[in-house]
Amino acid sequence: MIKRLLIANRGEIAVRILRAARERGIRTVAVFSEPDRLAPHVLEADEAYLIGPAASSESYLRADKLIDLARASGAEAIHPGYGFLAENARFAQACLDAGLIFVGPLPETLELFGDKVRARAIAVDNDVPVLTGSRELGSVDEASAFLESLGDGGTMILKAISGGGGRGARAVNDTADIRSLYAEATAEAMNAFGDGTLFAERMITQARHIEVQILGDGSGAVSNFGERECSIQRRYQKVMEVAPAPNLPDGLRARIIASAQRLAVAVNYRSLGTFEFLVDATDLTDGSEYYFIEANARLQVEHTVTEAVTGIDLVEAQLNIAAGSSLSDLGLEQADIPAPRGFAIQARVNMETVTPDGRTLPSVGVLSAFDPPTGPGVRTDTFGFAGYSTSPSFDSLIAKVIGHSKSSDFGDAIRRTYRALSEFRIEGVSTNLSFLQNLLQGYRPLTKIRSGGNETLGNPD
């Protein structure tokens, strides 16, 4: 049993975990860097400790400090949230070595799925389709050779072997561009993950990004909670997510979910995880092709929409599994998981400004007003408040607005989410609220969208 939990994160996910822990009677320990002294997760926790200055490398990424604080505070467990150290196998192992519970997958699972080339190999071994891809690329010449192997008109996407979130991803369809794009991708991956190693995949130019939420207890028992649509992206970054995926043929849906389940069982998956796939959207049928691209071995940003349509608290389930419960103990075996009720949409509200040349940059300032939307079927996960001073040291996400309609008409969920965004009052910084509203007005479950002179075409990461 977990009696005291250290939350090794910040922002809205720290608040989300804190509330789930409190409902289970778990005392919470927050950590914070200098800019986060007055953050909601700090003020709401039972205890809070300064961990370092603004730079993440000196605060939220300091595994040694986090473990020392957990032990000093009497915490039995550490929840990493997402981002920062959530998928770091060394951190997970260090927690176990220190006698602490790591609320997430086992270190060997994190290590496996942290290497996308190894993850592809596991998929192949379990008869799960993957895109034509390379092994680890050792040079620009190897990347050029892979592009040429795709034939005339072929397009490849360079990806970072470590990490995800679109960092280190570059689409290439001309050998003349490879050298510069390879250098950009390598540098970005190195900066984001400390590893600039790349591999390449054939690119689908009209793709839908479908992901499956699973929960395993480490015994080989795995349940899935259905799928989500994550196709609306900008520069390989998710902008909006939907559960379940609208207009997806039932036969294709079942095949994708079965593949995710098979992969999770094959590795005796424990904790929450998301298995991600691409679908060629040119002519969707029950027999359409789909491809495994990666597994995110952690709690996802978009877990909220799955919670909305199933009514299941995934963070609570994750905490219970970490404490030693089985799916059977929790009443979460596959037969217990309800069919999704209606549709839910999550819109990511970012603090950003658009430059005259069309680029988007983080918006920095003080929130002079902050009134999140409420009402039936509306949920807002945030850490913002009037008077909050934003920091350029962190991600620009300030809130997630989730609109849920129990109706089978997807349009109802769109209208509810649009209404919620229209009622969101944020002053003092620029945001992407109007961009999100425009997306909802013209929603199509494809990956090609334009904003500020940037677009994403297929193979989202």
Side-chain angles (χ1 to χ4, degrees):
M1 181 177 179
I2 299 172
K3 296 181 179 179
R4 192 181 299 257
L5 175 73
L6 184 139
I7 303 168
N9 216 301
R10 65 177 300 278
E12 54 83 19
I13 193 57
V15 175
R16 171 72 184 90
I17 295 165
L18 185 150
R19 289 172 176 165
R22 179 179 293 161
E23 289 181 4
R24 293 191 70 243
I26 298 172
R27 290 185 63 83
T28 53
V29 180
V31 296
F32 61 95
S33 65
E34 290 285 358
D36 283 332
R37 281 185 175 274
L38 299 178
H41 79 282
V42 176
L43 301 179
E44 292 180 26
D46 294 300
E47 302 172 40
Y49 298 93
L50 177 66
I51 196 170
S56 297
S57 59
E58 294 301 318
S59 53
Y60 298 105
L61 289 172
R62 284 292 301 271
D64 55 339
K65 287 186 177 181
L66 291 166
I67 290 172
D68 287 346
L69 276 174
R71 297 173 75 176
S73 66
E76 298 98 348
I78 293 181
H79 196 311
Y82 53 70
F84 294 133
L85 295 168
E87 294 177 272
N88 189 303
R90 291 182 180 178
F91 178 57
Q93 186 61 57
C95 289
L96 298 182
D97 292 343
L100 300 168
I101 296 170
F102 178 79
V103 184
L106 297 172
E108 53 265 35
T109 306
L110 293 171
E111 186 174 9
L112 167 63
F113 289 120
D115 183 329
K116 292 182 182 178
V117 172
R118 284 185 64 197
R120 284 168 51 88
I122 292 291
V124 171
D125 289 344
N126 287 277
D127 298 320
V128 175
V130 298
L131 289 160
T132 301
S134 72
R135 294 186 179 275
E136 177 182 317
L137 294 171
S139 66
V140 174
D141 290 340
E142 289 182 12
S144 296
F146 179 78
L147 178 60
E148 291 171 1
S149 74
L150 299 178
D152 292 341
T155 301
M156 72 175 180
I157 183 164
L158 297 172
K159 286 186 174 182
I161 279 183
S162 302
R167 294 176 178 84
R170 294 293 187 279
V172 188
N173 58 17
D174 190 334
T175 54
D177 298 327
I178 287 182
R179 189 166 298 279
S180 61
L181 293 174
Y182 189 94
E184 287 179 16
T186 299
E188 187 172 82
M190 176 62 74
N191 183 60
F193 315 118
D195 180 3
T197 311
L198 306 176
F199 75 106
E201 280 182 341
R202 177 175 69 86
M203 186 171 185
I204 302 175
T205 55
Q206 288 293 329
R208 286 179 67 175
H209 186 151
I210 307 297
E211 63 183 32
V212 180
Q213 177 70 67
I214 64 93
L215 175 70
D217 62 16
S219 71
V222 173
S223 294
N224 77 76
F225 298 80
E227 85 292 345
R228 298 185 284 256
E229 172 95 42
C230 303
S231 298
I232 296 185
Q233 303 190 12
R234 182 180 61 184
R235 296 189 302 279
Y236 305 106
Q237 301 286 323
K238 295 172 184 175
V239 175
M240 198 170 285
E241 300 94 355
V242 181
N247 304 318
L248 190 69
D250 288 340
L252 178 58
R253 185 194 319 272
R255 291 164 59 216
I256 292 172
I257 289 174
S259 289
Q261 190 98 9
R262 193 158 65 248
L263 275 172
V265 169
V267 299
N268 289 328
Y269 199 96
R270 191 194 74 176
S271 195
L272 290 175
T274 301
F275 289 75
E276 307 205 357
F277 300 83
L278 293 183
V279 176
D280 191 333
T282 51
D283 184 23
L284 282 182
T285 66
D286 283 339
S288 290
E289 294 182 338
Y290 66 94
Y291 309 93
F292 168 76
I293 52 171
E294 67 178 5
N296 287 305
R298 55 173 165 80
L299 176 68
Q300 287 275 88
V301 178
E302 60 271 21
H303 73 279
T304 57
V305 289
T306 298
E307 291 184 327
V309 297
T310 63
I312 295 171
D313 187 324
L314 294 176
V315 179
E316 180 182 10
Q318 186 184 33
L319 288 167
N320 285 328
I321 290 291
S325 296
S326 68
L327 294 180
S328 177
D329 295 334
L330 301 175
L332 291 177
E333 294 181 296
Q334 194 62 58
D336 302 315
I337 309 303
R341 296 169 299 175
F343 290 94
I345 301 172
Q346 174 178 278
R348 303 191 187 197
V349 181
N350 295 328
M351 300 174 288
E352 64 181 39
T353 184
V354 180
T355 65
D357 62 357
R359 294 177 297 124
T360 54
L361 298 173
S363 179
V364 179
V366 176
L367 299 178
S368 55
F370 192 83
D371 296 315
T374 59
V378 174
R379 165 180 169 180
T380 303
D381 283 17
T382 185
F383 63 101
F385 59 91
Y388 173 72
S389 180
T390 68
S391 171
S393 300
F394 307 115
D395 187 85
S396 62
L397 180 71
I398 186 65
K400 303 182 308 194
V401 174
I402 302 95
H404 175 221
S405 170
K406 295 180 181 179
S407 168
S408 59
D409 181 355
F410 181 48
D412 287 349
I414 290 177
R415 286 185 287 274
R416 175 159 288 170
T417 309
Y418 184 91
R419 186 266 298 170
L421 292 172
S422 300
E423 295 176 359
F424 204 156
R425 180 171 171 244
I426 304 177
E427 296 178 5
V429 298
S430 300
T431 71
N432 66 339
L433 280 170
S434 60
F435 170 59
L436 295 171
Q437 291 173 287
N438 289 338
L439 284 178
L440 285 170
Q441 286 184 319
Y443 181 89
R444 287 181 178 82
L446 297 174
T447 60
K448 184 175 181 179
I449 62 171
R450 281 187 178 274
S451 172
N454 298 288
E455 68 175 6
T456 292
L457 284 169
N459 286 43
D461 197 17

